[in-house]
Amino acid sequence: MKICSICQKISGSGEDHLDCIQKRRVELEDVDFKSQIAEKLELSKNSQDLGVEVKAILEHLSREKDSDD
């Protein structure tokens, strides 16, 4: 048995828990997506063409995630 390096709980398999590994992968992908979304949509060039609702959603997605965990 080993301690999972992600959640710090006992792992019966001797490795990190699969769900912990997947959660970390998804969180890292989410951060990458949020940082690249403005560039992908070229907001700096076409910001006047977007509706108010779309602008609000994109601004929300591009903000840093608060550490509520």
Side-chain angles (χ1 to χ4, degrees):
M1 287 199 285
K2 174 187 160 192
I3 301 292
C4 176
S5 65
I6 299 168
C7 70
Q8 306 305 319
K9 295 181 181 176
I10 295 175
S11 171
S13 66
E15 299 177 8
D16 293 340
H17 300 118
L18 293 177
D19 58 333
C20 293
I21 294 169
Q22 291 297 324
K23 182 178 177 183
R24 181 191 292 170
R25 183 186 57 80
V26 168
E27 288 173 350
L28 292 175
E29 286 178 357
D30 192 37
V31 169
D32 290 339
F33 176 75
K34 286 180 182 181
S35 67
Q36 295 174 0
I37 192 166
E39 294 141 10
K40 286 181 181 179
L41 296 175
E42 298 179 14
L43 290 179
S44 60
K45 296 178 184 176
N46 301 327
S47 62
Q48 301 301 323
D49 297 338
L50 298 174
V52 175
E53 296 87 1
V54 175
K55 286 181 188 178
I57 291 170
L58 292 174
E59 287 175 7
H60 175 73
L61 288 174
S62 62
R63 277 190 234 143
E64 291 293 325
K65 180 180 176 183
D66 293 334
S67 57
D68 294 334
D69 301 31

